[in-house]
């Protein structure tokens, strides 16, 4: 079996669902169930013996040691993290705890477990660390896209904490020989995305008749990858990646934020037109920028294509259409994740931003 951490979050739950749709190899899913973790994402696996869910912290060494000894996974895919830049600006502590200390404790437990393995299990064991393009910092308009050899220049508490975790993973390979793989991926979008991030927030606010808060001038650029393509890249790296290597994963799809918002408005105008005939664009509101806002991210994903034959299978057009469709069809899911804690966050992040 494999151990997946953070498998109740956005990407982790998509990964677990896809994994079990494609293979019968069981998944042990360790997730703390923070505000971002949602067992409802995995409801279709209820009663499925191939999925074992454990609520717990990657930083709980005793728990992780016990789980490793009991289940003897052949690989670990580490998604567990605090993942939202704006939250890291308002409160960095949890990011340091989970992304740095949590990864460190997980690595220590895994090192001890791997050290006790023998034969084929030891040979084949892998620790795959899921990371982000944000560790490379911000690009100017004409700069080439991020390659695996780029300097780390993280600018937010989130990206700094992920950078620290990447360095620890690297060090555990170089120092102890732990067979690690690291993926650095661009912005994901798709089903089960918590509506604090740009794309789901805009869809959800548009449908609720609320303002669509665009930070600054809306010309910040991100590369966007459909989440199922990220999951297929991780499966590919796990199966065939060279130990100790880093693979950048991206969608070859750079877009300014305002173009994303306009695209979403146009799709909603088509798929769920407003009764008065007005466009959702009328709800766009430019608001105060994010402090330290990275201007541009872009991923050069040619290494993973060249070495492992992986390419995204969705274009942005096909992926974003599926995503809007999913949110239109899952409004009960949206309503349930908009709990009291979610409303508090919206108040914290948006109340002070001047339109
Ligand atoms: P998410 O915030 O939706 O989910 C994170 C999950 O981790 C949640 O289920 C949460 O309960 C769990 N978790 C948090 N702290 C934990 C802890 N201490 N122990 C165990 N579980 C814990 O995040 P996501 O968007 O699914 O991102 C998953 C991973 O992918 C993260 O490592 C993130 O840095 C990375 N990543 C995300 C993106 C993106 O666009 N979302 C892009 C590149 C890389
Ligand atoms: P986000 O989805 O938070 O991802 P990240 O900051 O990790 O790239 O934000 C994507 C982009 O959208 C980023 O440039 C910030 C911007 N943004 C807004 O303009 N308004 C919003 O309400 C949010 C959440 C993000």
């Amino acid at each position: 079996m494999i151990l997946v951490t953070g498998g109740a979050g956005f990407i982790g739950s998509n990964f677990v669902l896809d994994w079990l749709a494609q293979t019968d190899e069981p998944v042990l899913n360790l997730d703390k169930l923070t505000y971002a973790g949602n067992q409802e994402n995995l409801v279709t696996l209820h009663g499925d013996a191939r999925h074992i869910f454990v609520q717990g912290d990657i930083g709980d060494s005793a728990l992780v040691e016990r789980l490793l000894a009991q289940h003897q996974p052949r690989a670990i895919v580490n998604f567990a993290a605090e993942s939202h830049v704006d939250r890291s600006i308002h409160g960095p502590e949890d990011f340091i705890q989970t992304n740095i200390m949590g990864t460190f404790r997980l690595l220590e437990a895994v090192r001890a477990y791997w050290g006790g393995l023998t034969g084929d299990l030891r040979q084949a064991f892998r620790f795959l660390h899921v990371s982000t393009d944000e560790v490379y910092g911000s690009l100017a308009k004409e700069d080439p896209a991020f390659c695996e050899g780029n300097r780390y220049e993280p600018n937010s508490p989130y990206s700094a904490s992920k950078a620290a975790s990447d360095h620890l993973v690297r060090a555990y390979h170089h120092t102890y020989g732990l067979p690690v793989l690291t993926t650095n991926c661009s912005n994901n979008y798709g089903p089960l995305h918590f509506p604090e991030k740009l794309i789901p927030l805009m869809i959800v606010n548009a449908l609720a008749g609320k303002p669509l808060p665009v930070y600054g001038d809306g010309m910040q650029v991100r590369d966007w990858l459909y989440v199922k393509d990220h999951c297929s890249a991780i499966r590919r790296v796990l199966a065939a990646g060279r130990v100790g290597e880093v693979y950048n994963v991206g969608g070859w799809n750079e877009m300014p934020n305002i173009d994303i918002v306009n695209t979403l408005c146009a799709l909603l105008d088509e798929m769920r037109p407003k009764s008065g005939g007005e466009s959702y664009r009328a709800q766009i509101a430019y608001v105060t920028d994010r402090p330290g806002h990275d201007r541009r991210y872009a991923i050069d994903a040619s290494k993973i294509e060249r070495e492992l034959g992986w390419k995204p299978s969705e274009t942005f057009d096909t992926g974003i259409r599926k995503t809007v469709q999913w949110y239109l069809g899952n409004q009960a899911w949206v309503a349930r994740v908009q709990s009291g804690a979610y409303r508090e966050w919206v108040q914290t992040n948006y109340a002070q931003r001047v339109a």
Side-chain angles (χ1 to χ4, degrees):
M1 66 150 54
I2 63 165
L3 166 59
V4 169
T5 72
F10 164 47
I11 307 172
S13 58
N14 274 288
F15 180 84
V16 171
L17 292 169
D18 287 2
W19 182 271
L20 291 174
Q22 303 200 355
T23 158
D24 280 334
E25 184 175 18
V27 173
L28 172 62
N29 186 348
L30 172 64
D31 195 296
K32 188 177 174 184
L33 294 180
T34 67
Y35 78 92
N38 184 357
Q39 276 187 293
E40 190 183 338
N41 296 354
L42 302 161
V43 71
T44 52
L45 297 177
H46 277 178
D48 188 330
R50 301 172 306 161
H51 180 238
I52 302 166
F53 185 83
V54 176
Q55 181 173 3
D57 192 323
I58 56 166
D60 180 344
S61 305
L63 171 67
V64 176
E65 283 162 18
R66 184 170 59 71
L67 291 174
L68 292 173
Q70 191 182 342
H71 295 280
Q72 302 268 304
R74 68 158 178 101
I76 295 168
V77 184
N78 183 32
F79 291 98
E82 290 292 335
S83 70
H84 187 32
V85 173
D86 291 319
R87 286 188 192 252
S88 83
I89 294 168
H90 285 277
E93 177 86 30
D94 288 347
F95 291 73
I96 308 305
Q97 278 310 327
T98 283
N99 300 1
I100 305 180
M101 285 306 294
T103 306
F104 160 67
R105 294 215 178 99
L106 178 65
L107 282 166
E108 276 292 272
V110 172
R111 177 164 79 93
Y113 164 69
W114 174 72
L117 295 179
T118 52
D120 288 351
L121 193 52
R122 181 183 170 89
Q123 197 60 36
F125 183 79
R126 298 287 182 271
F127 180 92
L128 191 153
H129 181 60
V130 180
S131 192
T132 164
D133 60 358
E134 304 192 24
V135 297
Y136 298 120
S138 184
L139 293 168
K141 205 172 176 192
E142 305 307 328
D143 286 341
F146 299 130
C147 289
E148 288 80 359
N150 270 52
R151 266 176 61 169
Y152 269 38
E153 294 180 344
N155 292 320
S156 71
Y158 164 64
S159 54
S161 66
K162 289 296 291 187
S165 69
D166 293 9
H167 289 323
L168 285 168
V169 169
R170 176 189 161 89
Y172 272 63
H173 175 63
H174 282 267
T175 304
Y176 304 114
L178 192 70
V180 307
L181 299 155
T182 299
T183 54
N184 290 90
C185 187
S186 57
N187 286 53
N188 287 211
Y189 66 97
L192 303 169
H193 205 179
F194 192 76
E196 65 184 356
K197 307 276 171 72
L198 180 74
I199 288 179
L201 182 96
M202 293 297 165
I203 299 171
V204 166
N205 277 17
L207 292 171
K210 293 183 179 162
L212 308 180
V214 174
Y215 296 167
D217 63 1
M219 289 306 291
Q220 302 82 9
V221 171
R222 301 289 183 265
D223 171 69
W224 294 93
L225 179 69
Y226 191 63
V227 63
K228 304 280 180 193
D229 277 329
H230 187 190
C231 295
S232 75
I234 291 168
R235 289 196 301 275
R236 187 71 196 124
V237 172
L238 187 62
R242 285 187 292 133
V243 166
E245 290 292 314
V246 172
Y247 294 92
N248 281 357
V249 182
W252 301 105
N253 179 64
E254 286 182 55
M255 278 174 86
N257 293 338
I258 190 63
D259 289 4
I260 297 278
V261 177
N262 278 317
T263 302
L264 291 171
C265 290
L267 280 171
L268 288 168
D269 287 341
E270 175 200 319
M271 292 157 87
R272 185 63 55 91
K274 289 204 215 183
S275 50
E278 193 185 39
S279 170
Y280 288 95
R281 285 200 178 94
Q283 289 166 234
I284 293 175
Y286 287 91
V287 299
T288 312
D289 208 351
R290 173 188 279 174
H293 200 168
D294 284 340
R295 197 66 185 164
R296 175 175 165 240
Y297 304 140
I299 276 276
D300 179 339
S302 45
K303 176 177 172 183
I304 187 172
E305 181 172 350
R306 194 175 58 248
E307 287 193 11
L308 305 179
W310 176 89
K311 287 195 290 204
S313 60
E314 297 287 346
T315 64
F316 188 71
D317 286 351
T318 57
I320 199 68
R321 194 168 271 280
K322 284 183 186 174
T323 304
V324 172
Q325 198 76 59
W326 189 87
Y327 279 89
L328 289 173
N330 288 276
Q331 292 193 41
W333 180 92
V334 172
R336 280 193 288 272
V337 300
Q338 290 178 313
S339 64
Y342 177 79
R343 287 196 291 277
E344 270 168 41
W345 163 250
V346 169
Q347 179 68 15
T348 305
N349 194 40
Y350 295 99
Q352 322 261 318
R353 289 182 192 272
V354 183

